Amino acid sequence: MKKLLVLAVALMSVSAFAAPYGASGCGLGSMIFEKDNTWWKQVLAATTNGTSGNQTFAISSGTLNCDSPTAGKTAQVEAYIEANKMALANDIAKGNGETISGLSKVYGCEDTATFGKALKSNYKMIYPTSDVGTNEVATQINGVAATACGTSI
Amino acid sequence: MAQANVESWAKEPLWLNMVHYKKTLFGYAAQADGEASYLSKNGKSDPVEELEATIKAFQSITHPIDSKSALCRFPARYNWLKVKIPTLNLNPVNECPEFREFVSKLNAKSVSLIFSSYFINSPASAFGHTFLRFNSATHRQDDQDQAELLDYGINYAAVMDTSNVLVYATKSMLGLFPGTFTAVPYYYKVREYNDFESRDLWEYKLNFTQPQIDRMVEHMWELGPTYFDYKFFTENCSYHVLSLMEVGNPDLNLTNRLPSLYVIPIDTVRVVIEEPNLVAGSRYRPSVLSRLEFRTKKLSDIEIKIVHDLVNNPLRSEEIVGTIHHPQIRADLLDTAIDGFDFINAKGLVYETKATNAKRHELLTARAVTEYTSKPLSMTPASEFTPENGHRSQRWGGWSGLP
């Protein structure tokens, strides 16, 4: 029994120590977060540095607040695009998906399906190269939203 | 204030739950370890003294009210006492701008329990993870499920200060890491679990009334500045998710029904499912690997060969699918290849390796020029794989040697 307990601890610690950012919960996580300066790490960092003093709840800074006034929304959209980078590119190539629904809501689009189709047909404009930056992507998406939904931010 | 009143209020389940008192052999012990949780010297062990100090603090609130005021620090306690003590007539949301911002950011209309399954590459993650999602009232009725990426997840986790395996193991066994609650947009969690670690997510929508949800939000705010010693086996994420729910509805009896020696997240799910009328519905959110398996099952051998070809030679995507003229078939094959590529290259994609990015770009461009809009995948997991039908932690084969 003692042996099993030791094994259990060893197993736990191996996977558990791999979450130095403390966000994946229950001590579990992945080794690959160790390398600095990946977009992923930055995204996770954004979720923990929102604590302002000890009187407020630690709430992520790079977040969306759909009720907030238009000001500051550009930064919020960029945070969303950055965090959902791969999933969003996938959904835009396919013409629909959950990340498009989220974006549609942020832009206040009445018709998510039309927005999705418009994004798809503009894929090459939104992602002209493999290393296009988030703010360029945001600018193009903004343009598509203006045409397809009649709203922009 | 009659002393008899205070003593009887101090025995109410809601008060005991809000300060996280548990009965011990000699009386009570509160679980929160940060001093920020208590207004009295012996608050950690004395529910009556803590309640007296709380009432005193509320009765001596001075204007102007700032964020350090007991009113802004303990809105759930205040609103509970307000009903009992008529002279308490302030509204924390009106008086405390930071708290108001927190409430309006969450704008919670319902609550879901989220369970992330096991991490395929790591046996220890058989523990999974649980957290709560507060579903915003801003969703339109028709896209309730669709915009949930924008909702907030409330996560309880240990704040690590080491990456040394041995130090970690020792500290976590002894409960030396502080555990704190944080709010994270749900999309971070979905990307992290579903895509990055390829873990399925199960979402259980819970039955709470609006006042109960409001109280949970107020109480989360109270927990923000404090911490609990993170106990890997017992008072872990699963445990505290349940204790938060017991503040929402003190009639729930959840934490007491957990196994006492060690608790894993699946126990949370089980306890919640077994509680009558608590779960209103559930939803499965497949990981990239589960989606890949689902898609490949529908393909013929020849089609699977094409998918392999695409994943291995994405730079030739256009050429490989060029001979397939049916847009839907072409789209299906490319969609499968994209999931396959993302699953295999998870690491390269996160590090944004130039070569990986370039390959993915070709694959996605080929998909974008295919004139077919993908339908959402409608996947239902086999019932033996759902968390509620899994094994209980303390009866697990591999763990049966444990006490």
Side-chain angles (χ1 to χ4, degrees), chain B residues 140-154:
Chain B
R140 286 198 307 254
Q141 208 55 44
D142 55 327
D143 68 1
Q144 184 68 42
D145 288 333
Q146 290 294 310
E148 67 188 23
L149 280 187
L150 304 176
D151 291 332
Y152 277 94
I154 297 294

Side-chain angles (χ1 to χ4, degrees), chain A residues 1 24 26 43 84 98 105, chain B residues 139 188 191 193 237 285 401:
Chain A
M1 190 207 85
S24 97
C26 282
V43 159
N84 293 291
E98 194 180 34
K105 182 173 172 176
Chain B
H139 299 334
Y188 285 122
R191 302 283 79 93
Y193 291 120
C237 65
R285 184 186 279 277

Side-chain angles (χ1 to χ4, degrees), chain A residues 1 12 16-17 23-24 26 32 43 54-55 57-58 63-64 67 84 90 96 98 101 105 120 123 127, chain B residues 67 138-139 146 152 163 183 188-189 191-193 220 225 230 232 237 285 342 347 360-361 370 374 401:
Chain A
M1 190 207 85
M12 257 183 258
F17 91 97
S24 97
C26 282
I32 34 190
V43 159
N54 64 352
Q55 288 298 316
F57 197 88
T63 57
L64 279 163
D67 296 333
N84 293 291
N90 282 354
N96 96 11
E98 194 180 34
S101 306
K105 182 173 172 176
K120 179 174 161 56
Y123 183 89
Y127 300 100
Chain B
S67 61
T138 61
H139 299 334
Q146 290 294 310
Y152 277 94
S163 58
Y188 285 122
K189 303 308 271 177
R191 302 283 79 93
E192 177 184 3
Y193 291 120
M220 284 185 319
Y230 193 93
F232 202 91
C237 65
R285 184 186 279 277
D342 286 355
K347 246 184 179 180
R360 192 165 190 278
H361 183 69
T370 304
S374 307

